[in-house]
Amino acid sequence: MVDEGVFSILKLNAWYGKKHVLKEVDMTIRANHVTALIGPSGCGKSTFIRCLNRMNDLIPDFRLTGEITHEGMDIYSPEADPIEIRRRIGMVFQKPNPFPKSIYNNIAYGLRIFGVKDKKRLDKAVEESLKKAALWEEVKENLHQNALTLSGGQQQRLCIARAIAVNPEVILFDEPCSALDPIATAKIEDLIAKLKKDYTVVIVTHNMQQAARVSDFTGFFMLGDLAEFDVTEKIFTTPANKLTEDYITGRFG
Amino acid sequence: MVREAYHKALKELQGEVLELGAMVSEATKDAVEALKKRDIEKSRQIIRNDRLVNRKRFDIEERCMLIIATQQPMAVDLRTLTAILNVITDLERIGDHAEGIAKISLLIGDEPLVKPLVDVPRMAEIARSMLKRCLEAFTDRDAEKARLICNEDDEVDALYEQIYRELLLLMIENPKIIKGATYLMWVSHNLERIADRVTNIAERVVFMVEGKMEELNVSKY
């Protein structure tokens, strides 16, 4: 398979009111790879990942210039449908946020919105999504139990299953493990490694070891600039930029 | 600066490497002096001291592992630690070569040397000077300085060949001295290996600074 950029980001600038939070960011995100975004708080990495599926649209005062194309389509063009974009580019958040519904209905929710009513099809999608999220074995007997009774780690995998259920192409993770214990974190990390076979993964993380463990490419953001973007191996052994080196070795941050 | 304790531990570790370097440099000097002066007790002392060298090497290795396990070093810090792990192996081997010379002194015992020692102390001097500057390059993170050191290894190799030819001629002239001449050949071989170990260390300094594995002293054979 030829490595192709699934996302192409060109001269991306973003502002919250007058605050310039992303500056001339260029990046190509490869299909079926894990791209990690690191940097100190306030560097713009979360704003950046939220630009990729138009999550910032609802924030008042948010403004953006530049171009983000996904599979050749400009996702900010007037013809682009944000709902469809968010189906194709799913997101998993920092804190697990299952709906206060059953495990089954959490997964089926998105599909029902897209008009799927057939019970057999829903059953199949629920099972497949839970299997892909490595949660099936733990919950298959209790699919109608309230999702909020699950542990934090299970809830996060449920959210991943929910994202998978609508058949996305990309999954964005915004600090998916920061509310989880080390075992639950390890399970999510294993899962991310498996998911890249079927999906393109982008992950924002404060945990540099996590970025080093799970990703193929790493981008280091600093004060709104993409200071360095390269293969992960290079970033964590011989970064080209002194800023990157100082950050990852704990000399500032 | 954040992570102060971590950076302090890294710095202390580099100081320990310099101490190990000073120990083996001293051992090299003493071994050749003891041979020249036929000082059996001093040679014994060098052999005993090698245990301290080995212990210090293991101590540094353990501290490296502790930092790796507890601090997850990255980038230049990670390269420094892997460089240190290699450098201490070479330093410890330099110590072994010095010990080797001391053991040869004991083997020669009371026998007179088959020739006066001129080039052997010269070899030791160059090798020690190379080691000194190599450790300076390590401390100063100076890759250029490390690269330059390797040119001198050729000088040591040339002296080694010269001693070899000289001893060979002596043996041909007088087969009775074959044993004594062979001992001196072993001594010069130990010194030649010490200089080679120094070039290994220089390669690690270049890696630590620039992240490139570079063979600095390519064999002419």
Short mmCIF file of all heavy atoms in Angstrom, two decimals, chain B residues 148-191:
data_model
loop_
_atom_site.label_atom_id
_atom_site.label_comp_id
_atom_site.label_asym_id
_atom_site.label_seq_id
_atom_site.Cartn_x
_atom_site.Cartn_y
_atom_site.Cartn_z
N LEU B 148 39.13 14.29 16.08
CA LEU B 148 40.57 14.54 15.88
C LEU B 148 41.45 13.52 16.60
O LEU B 148 42.51 13.15 16.12
CB LEU B 148 40.92 15.95 16.37
CG LEU B 148 40.45 17.09 15.46
CD1 LEU B 148 40.71 18.43 16.12
CD2 LEU B 148 41.15 17.00 14.10
N ILE B 149 40.96 13.05 17.75
CA ILE B 149 41.75 12.13 18.57
C ILE B 149 42.13 10.87 17.78
O ILE B 149 43.22 10.32 17.93
CB ILE B 149 40.94 11.75 19.84
CG1 ILE B 149 40.94 12.94 20.78
CG2 ILE B 149 41.50 10.52 20.51
CD1 ILE B 149 39.84 12.90 21.79
N CYS B 150 41.23 10.48 16.90
CA CYS B 150 41.44 9.20 16.22
C CYS B 150 42.65 9.22 15.29
O CYS B 150 43.23 8.17 15.01
CB CYS B 150 40.18 8.82 15.47
SG CYS B 150 38.89 8.57 16.65
N ASN B 151 43.05 10.40 14.83
CA ASN B 151 44.24 10.46 13.96
C ASN B 151 45.47 9.94 14.71
O ASN B 151 46.36 9.34 14.12
CB ASN B 151 44.51 11.90 13.53
CG ASN B 151 43.35 12.43 12.72
OD1 ASN B 151 42.62 11.64 12.11
ND2 ASN B 151 43.18 13.74 12.71
N GLU B 152 45.49 10.17 16.02
CA GLU B 152 46.67 9.77 16.79
C GLU B 152 46.77 8.26 16.97
O GLU B 152 47.83 7.75 17.30
CB GLU B 152 46.64 10.43 18.17
CG GLU B 152 46.91 11.89 18.07
CD GLU B 152 46.57 12.58 19.36
OE1 GLU B 152 47.19 12.26 20.38
OE2 GLU B 152 45.65 13.41 19.34
N ASP B 153 45.64 7.59 16.75
CA ASP B 153 45.70 6.14 16.87
C ASP B 153 46.67 5.58 15.84
O ASP B 153 47.34 4.58 16.09
CB ASP B 153 44.30 5.55 16.70
CG ASP B 153 44.29 4.06 16.99
OD1 ASP B 153 44.86 3.66 18.04
OD2 ASP B 153 43.77 3.28 16.17
N ASP B 154 46.79 6.25 14.70
CA ASP B 154 47.73 5.79 13.67
C ASP B 154 49.16 5.86 14.19
O ASP B 154 49.99 5.01 13.87
CB ASP B 154 47.60 6.67 12.42
CG ASP B 154 46.22 6.52 11.78
OD1 ASP B 154 45.53 5.53 12.11
OD2 ASP B 154 45.83 7.39 10.99
N GLU B 155 49.44 6.88 14.98
CA GLU B 155 50.78 7.03 15.55
C GLU B 155 51.07 5.84 16.48
O GLU B 155 52.17 5.29 16.46
CB GLU B 155 50.79 8.32 16.36
CG GLU B 155 52.09 9.09 16.30
CD GLU B 155 51.95 10.38 17.08
OE1 GLU B 155 50.96 11.12 16.88
OE2 GLU B 155 52.82 10.63 17.93
N VAL B 156 50.09 5.48 17.28
CA VAL B 156 50.26 4.34 18.19
C VAL B 156 50.46 3.06 17.38
O VAL B 156 51.34 2.26 17.69
CB VAL B 156 49.04 4.21 19.13
CG1 VAL B 156 49.14 2.96 19.98
CG2 VAL B 156 48.92 5.44 20.01
N ASP B 157 49.67 2.90 16.34
CA ASP B 157 49.81 1.71 15.49
C ASP B 157 51.21 1.65 14.87
O ASP B 157 51.82 0.57 14.77
CB ASP B 157 48.76 1.72 14.38
CG ASP B 157 47.37 1.44 14.93
OD1 ASP B 157 47.27 1.01 16.09
OD2 ASP B 157 46.37 1.67 14.20
N ALA B 158 51.72 2.82 14.44
CA ALA B 158 53.06 2.86 13.82
C ALA B 158 54.12 2.45 14.84
O ALA B 158 55.03 1.67 14.51
CB ALA B 158 53.33 4.26 13.28
N LEU B 159 53.98 2.94 16.06
CA LEU B 159 54.95 2.56 17.10
C LEU B 159 54.87 1.06 17.38
O LEU B 159 55.89 0.40 17.58
CB LEU B 159 54.66 3.34 18.40
CG LEU B 159 55.21 4.76 18.47
CD1 LEU B 159 54.64 5.48 19.68
CD2 LEU B 159 56.74 4.74 18.56
N TYR B 160 53.66 0.55 17.38
CA TYR B 160 53.45 -0.88 17.63
C TYR B 160 54.18 -1.71 16.58
O TYR B 160 54.92 -2.66 16.90
CB TYR B 160 51.94 -1.17 17.63
CG TYR B 160 51.57 -2.62 17.78
CD1 TYR B 160 52.06 -3.38 18.84
CD2 TYR B 160 50.68 -3.23 16.89
CE1 TYR B 160 51.70 -4.71 18.98
CE2 TYR B 160 50.31 -4.55 17.02
CZ TYR B 160 50.82 -5.30 18.07
OH TYR B 160 50.45 -6.61 18.22
N GLU B 161 54.05 -1.31 15.32
CA GLU B 161 54.72 -2.04 14.23
C GLU B 161 56.23 -1.94 14.36
O GLU B 161 56.95 -2.91 14.12
CB GLU B 161 54.28 -1.47 12.88
CG GLU B 161 53.05 -2.19 12.36
CD GLU B 161 52.59 -1.64 11.02
OE1 GLU B 161 53.46 -1.39 10.16
OE2 GLU B 161 51.37 -1.46 10.85
N GLN B 162 56.68 -0.74 14.73
CA GLN B 162 58.13 -0.53 14.90
C GLN B 162 58.69 -1.44 15.99
O GLN B 162 59.72 -2.08 15.80
CB GLN B 162 58.33 0.94 15.27
CG GLN B 162 59.78 1.38 15.28
CD GLN B 162 59.84 2.87 15.61
OE1 GLN B 162 59.09 3.66 15.03
NE2 GLN B 162 60.69 3.24 16.55
N ILE B 163 57.98 -1.50 17.12
CA ILE B 163 58.44 -2.36 18.23
C ILE B 163 58.44 -3.82 17.79
O ILE B 163 59.37 -4.58 18.06
CB ILE B 163 57.52 -2.16 19.47
CG1 ILE B 163 57.71 -0.76 20.03
CG2 ILE B 163 57.78 -3.22 20.53
CD1 ILE B 163 56.66 -0.37 21.07
N TYR B 164 57.39 -4.20 17.05
CA TYR B 164 57.27 -5.57 16.58
C TYR B 164 58.47 -5.94 15.70
O TYR B 164 59.12 -6.98 15.91
CB TYR B 164 55.96 -5.70 15.79
CG TYR B 164 55.79 -7.00 15.05
CD1 TYR B 164 55.53 -8.19 15.71
CD2 TYR B 164 55.89 -7.03 13.66
CE1 TYR B 164 55.37 -9.38 15.02
CE2 TYR B 164 55.73 -8.22 12.95
CZ TYR B 164 55.47 -9.38 13.63
OH TYR B 164 55.33 -10.56 12.96
N ARG B 165 58.78 -5.06 14.74
CA ARG B 165 59.92 -5.34 13.85
C ARG B 165 61.22 -5.41 14.63
O ARG B 165 62.05 -6.31 14.43
CB ARG B 165 60.01 -4.25 12.78
CG ARG B 165 59.08 -4.48 11.59
CD ARG B 165 59.49 -3.61 10.41
NE ARG B 165 59.55 -2.20 10.75
CZ ARG B 165 58.52 -1.37 10.67
NH1 ARG B 165 57.35 -1.82 10.26
NH2 ARG B 165 58.65 -0.11 11.01
N GLU B 166 61.41 -4.49 15.54
CA GLU B 166 62.63 -4.44 16.33
C GLU B 166 62.81 -5.73 17.14
O GLU B 166 63.88 -6.34 17.14
CB GLU B 166 62.55 -3.24 17.26
CG GLU B 166 63.89 -2.72 17.74
CD GLU B 166 63.70 -1.53 18.69
OE1 GLU B 166 62.67 -0.83 18.58
OE2 GLU B 166 64.57 -1.34 19.55
N LEU B 167 61.73 -6.14 17.78
CA LEU B 167 61.82 -7.35 18.62
C LEU B 167 62.05 -8.59 17.76
O LEU B 167 62.79 -9.50 18.15
CB LEU B 167 60.55 -7.50 19.46
CG LEU B 167 60.40 -6.48 20.60
CD1 LEU B 167 59.00 -6.55 21.22
CD2 LEU B 167 61.46 -6.74 21.70
N LEU B 168 61.42 -8.58 16.58
CA LEU B 168 61.61 -9.71 15.67
C LEU B 168 63.08 -9.86 15.28
O LEU B 168 63.65 -10.96 15.30
CB LEU B 168 60.75 -9.46 14.41
CG LEU B 168 60.21 -10.68 13.68
CD1 LEU B 168 59.37 -11.53 14.62
CD2 LEU B 168 59.37 -10.24 12.49
N LEU B 169 63.70 -8.72 14.96
CA LEU B 169 65.13 -8.73 14.60
C LEU B 169 65.97 -9.25 15.76
O LEU B 169 66.85 -10.08 15.57
CB LEU B 169 65.59 -7.32 14.23
CG LEU B 169 65.25 -6.86 12.82
CD1 LEU B 169 65.69 -5.42 12.62
CD2 LEU B 169 65.96 -7.76 11.80
N LEU B 170 65.63 -8.77 16.96
CA LEU B 170 66.39 -9.23 18.14
C LEU B 170 66.26 -10.74 18.32
O LEU B 170 67.23 -11.43 18.65
CB LEU B 170 65.89 -8.52 19.41
CG LEU B 170 66.25 -7.04 19.56
CD1 LEU B 170 65.57 -6.45 20.79
CD2 LEU B 170 67.78 -6.87 19.69
N MET B 171 65.06 -11.25 18.08
CA MET B 171 64.84 -12.70 18.25
C MET B 171 65.61 -13.50 17.21
O MET B 171 66.13 -14.57 17.50
CB MET B 171 63.35 -13.02 18.17
CG MET B 171 62.58 -12.57 19.41
SD MET B 171 60.90 -13.22 19.47
CE MET B 171 60.00 -11.93 18.67
N ILE B 172 65.64 -12.96 15.98
CA ILE B 172 66.37 -13.66 14.92
C ILE B 172 67.86 -13.70 15.27
O ILE B 172 68.53 -14.72 15.14
CB ILE B 172 66.14 -12.98 13.56
CG1 ILE B 172 64.69 -13.18 13.13
CG2 ILE B 172 67.08 -13.55 12.47
CD1 ILE B 172 64.25 -12.28 11.99
N GLU B 173 68.36 -12.57 15.78
CA GLU B 173 69.77 -12.50 16.16
C GLU B 173 70.09 -13.41 17.33
O GLU B 173 71.13 -14.04 17.37
CB GLU B 173 70.13 -11.06 16.57
CG GLU B 173 70.37 -10.15 15.40
CD GLU B 173 70.44 -8.68 15.85
OE1 GLU B 173 70.66 -8.43 17.06
OE2 GLU B 173 70.23 -7.81 15.00
N ASN B 174 69.17 -13.48 18.29
CA ASN B 174 69.47 -14.23 19.50
C ASN B 174 68.23 -14.98 20.01
O ASN B 174 67.45 -14.45 20.82
CB ASN B 174 69.98 -13.24 20.56
CG ASN B 174 70.30 -13.93 21.87
OD1 ASN B 174 70.31 -15.17 21.94
ND2 ASN B 174 70.55 -13.14 22.90
N PRO B 175 68.07 -16.22 19.55
CA PRO B 175 66.87 -16.98 19.92
C PRO B 175 66.72 -17.17 21.44
O PRO B 175 65.63 -17.49 21.91
CB PRO B 175 67.05 -18.32 19.22
CG PRO B 175 68.04 -18.06 18.14
CD PRO B 175 68.93 -16.97 18.65
N LYS B 176 67.74 -16.95 22.22
CA LYS B 176 67.63 -17.14 23.67
C LYS B 176 66.68 -16.11 24.32
O LYS B 176 66.22 -16.32 25.43
CB LYS B 176 69.01 -17.01 24.33
CG LYS B 176 69.85 -18.23 24.16
CD LYS B 176 71.14 -18.08 24.92
CE LYS B 176 72.04 -19.28 24.61
NZ LYS B 176 73.44 -18.94 24.80
N ILE B 177 66.50 -15.01 23.61
CA ILE B 177 65.67 -13.97 24.22
C ILE B 177 64.21 -14.02 23.73
O ILE B 177 63.42 -13.10 23.98
CB ILE B 177 66.23 -12.55 23.98
CG1 ILE B 177 66.22 -12.26 22.48
CG2 ILE B 177 67.62 -12.38 24.58
CD1 ILE B 177 66.11 -10.79 22.18
N ILE B 178 63.85 -15.11 23.00
CA ILE B 178 62.49 -15.17 22.42
C ILE B 178 61.43 -14.95 23.49
O ILE B 178 60.49 -14.18 23.30
CB ILE B 178 62.29 -16.51 21.67
CG1 ILE B 178 63.04 -16.44 20.34
CG2 ILE B 178 60.78 -16.78 21.43
CD1 ILE B 178 62.95 -17.67 19.49
N LYS B 179 61.61 -15.61 24.64
CA LYS B 179 60.58 -15.48 25.68
C LYS B 179 60.44 -14.03 26.15
O LYS B 179 59.35 -13.46 26.16
CB LYS B 179 60.96 -16.38 26.87
CG LYS B 179 59.82 -16.60 27.82
CD LYS B 179 60.16 -17.77 28.73
CE LYS B 179 59.70 -17.50 30.14
NZ LYS B 179 60.23 -18.45 31.10
N GLY B 180 61.59 -13.42 26.49
CA GLY B 180 61.56 -12.03 26.98
C GLY B 180 61.02 -11.07 25.94
O GLY B 180 60.27 -10.13 26.26
N ALA B 181 61.38 -11.31 24.66
CA ALA B 181 60.92 -10.43 23.60
C ALA B 181 59.41 -10.59 23.39
O ALA B 181 58.69 -9.61 23.14
CB ALA B 181 61.67 -10.74 22.30
N THR B 182 58.94 -11.83 23.50
CA THR B 182 57.49 -12.07 23.33
C THR B 182 56.71 -11.33 24.41
O THR B 182 55.67 -10.73 24.15
CB THR B 182 57.19 -13.58 23.41
OG1 THR B 182 58.01 -14.24 22.47
CG2 THR B 182 55.74 -13.87 23.11
N TYR B 183 57.26 -11.35 25.64
CA TYR B 183 56.57 -10.62 26.71
C TYR B 183 56.42 -9.14 26.36
O TYR B 183 55.36 -8.55 26.54
CB TYR B 183 57.36 -10.75 28.04
CG TYR B 183 57.23 -12.11 28.70
CD1 TYR B 183 58.27 -12.63 29.46
CD2 TYR B 183 56.06 -12.85 28.58
CE1 TYR B 183 58.17 -13.88 30.08
CE2 TYR B 183 55.95 -14.08 29.20
CZ TYR B 183 56.99 -14.60 29.94
OH TYR B 183 56.88 -15.80 30.56
N LEU B 184 57.51 -8.56 25.84
CA LEU B 184 57.44 -7.13 25.50
C LEU B 184 56.45 -6.90 24.34
O LEU B 184 55.78 -5.87 24.26
CB LEU B 184 58.81 -6.59 25.14
CG LEU B 184 59.77 -6.39 26.31
CD1 LEU B 184 61.01 -5.61 25.85
CD2 LEU B 184 59.10 -5.61 27.45
N MET B 185 56.38 -7.88 23.45
CA MET B 185 55.43 -7.78 22.34
C MET B 185 54.00 -7.74 22.90
O MET B 185 53.16 -6.97 22.44
CB MET B 185 55.59 -8.98 21.41
CG MET B 185 55.23 -8.62 20.04
SD MET B 185 56.45 -8.87 18.81
CE MET B 185 57.14 -10.32 18.66
N TRP B 186 53.77 -8.57 23.90
CA TRP B 186 52.43 -8.58 24.54
C TRP B 186 52.13 -7.23 25.19
O TRP B 186 51.01 -6.74 25.13
CB TRP B 186 52.35 -9.67 25.62
CG TRP B 186 52.36 -11.08 25.07
CD1 TRP B 186 52.27 -11.44 23.76
CD2 TRP B 186 52.47 -12.28 25.83
NE1 TRP B 186 52.32 -12.81 23.65
CE2 TRP B 186 52.44 -13.36 24.90
CE3 TRP B 186 52.60 -12.58 27.19
CZ2 TRP B 186 52.54 -14.68 25.29
CZ3 TRP B 186 52.69 -13.91 27.58
CH2 TRP B 186 52.65 -14.95 26.64
N VAL B 187 53.16 -6.67 25.82
CA VAL B 187 52.98 -5.36 26.46
C VAL B 187 52.54 -4.33 25.41
O VAL B 187 51.57 -3.59 25.59
CB VAL B 187 54.27 -4.89 27.16
CG1 VAL B 187 54.16 -3.42 27.58
CG2 VAL B 187 54.57 -5.77 28.38
N SER B 188 53.31 -4.30 24.29
CA SER B 188 52.97 -3.28 23.30
C SER B 188 51.60 -3.56 22.67
O SER B 188 50.86 -2.64 22.32
CB SER B 188 54.05 -3.18 22.22
OG SER B 188 54.18 -4.41 21.57
N HIS B 189 51.23 -4.84 22.60
CA HIS B 189 49.90 -5.16 22.08
C HIS B 189 48.81 -4.61 23.01
O HIS B 189 47.81 -4.05 22.55
CB HIS B 189 49.74 -6.67 21.92
CG HIS B 189 48.40 -7.06 21.35
ND1 HIS B 189 48.06 -6.79 20.05
CD2 HIS B 189 47.31 -7.63 21.92
CE1 HIS B 189 46.82 -7.18 19.83
NE2 HIS B 189 46.34 -7.70 20.95
N ASN B 190 49.02 -4.76 24.30
CA ASN B 190 48.07 -4.20 25.27
C ASN B 190 47.91 -2.70 25.07
O ASN B 190 46.80 -2.17 25.11
CB ASN B 190 48.52 -4.49 26.70
CG ASN B 190 48.02 -5.84 27.21
OD1 ASN B 190 46.81 -6.06 27.29
ND2 ASN B 190 48.93 -6.74 27.52
N LEU B 191 49.04 -2.01 24.85
CA LEU B 191 48.97 -0.55 24.68
C LEU B 191 48.25 -0.18 23.38
O LEU B 191 47.49 0.78 23.33
CB LEU B 191 50.38 0.05 24.72
CG LEU B 191 51.04 -0.02 26.10
CD1 LEU B 191 52.52 0.34 26.00
CD2 LEU B 191 50.34 0.91 27.09
#
